[in-house]
Amino acid sequence: MLDAALGRSVHADLIALALDGKLPVPLTHPHHAATRWVTAPAEGRLHAITWPAIAPDAPVRLHVNARTGASVRPALDNADRLAMVLTHGANRALAEALAETIV
């Protein structure tokens, strides 16, 4: 979420800090980020995760954790999350609305 909100890699910032002793220039207008998880509605086997059409330049990242054919169940712990949607936008409401729309 921090990478999305800052528009850069936090890991790269930490490496630069360790190597050069310098912090990156702070952003004047950082974004807000939101995540939403895709979970199974019932126990069974995962047939597919069908995503809505997403514009190539949309501020969205999709991280799929489950494979087709995997046993799934309603989420009881983090291992039951099938996929994550990560979005960012100029304000919190926009980022959250986009994530909700995709899920």
Side-chain angles (χ1 to χ4, degrees):
M1 285 182 68
L2 285 173
D3 288 0
L6 295 173
R8 63 177 188 255
S9 168
V10 173
H11 289 110
D13 289 351
L14 290 172
I15 292 167
L17 179 61
L19 295 175
D20 304 329
K22 296 179 184 177
L23 289 171
V25 176
L27 297 177
T28 55
H29 301 291
H31 287 115
H32 294 261
T35 59
R36 294 295 182 269
W37 292 95
V38 176
T39 59
E43 192 168 321
R45 295 238 174 251
L46 179 62
H47 175 68
I49 298 174
T50 304
W51 302 104
I54 301 170
D57 61 343
V60 175
R61 294 182 197 162
L62 305 174
H63 301 278
V64 179
N65 302 327
R67 294 179 184 204
T68 301
S71 294
V72 297
R73 66 181 184 183
L76 298 176
D77 57 43
N78 289 344
D80 295 323
R81 295 173 174 178
L82 306 179
M84 179 185 73
V85 175
L86 173 63
T87 62
H88 63 89
N91 64 56
R92 180 179 171 179
L94 288 173
E96 289 179 345
L98 180 56
E100 291 287 337
T101 298
I102 293 168
V103 169

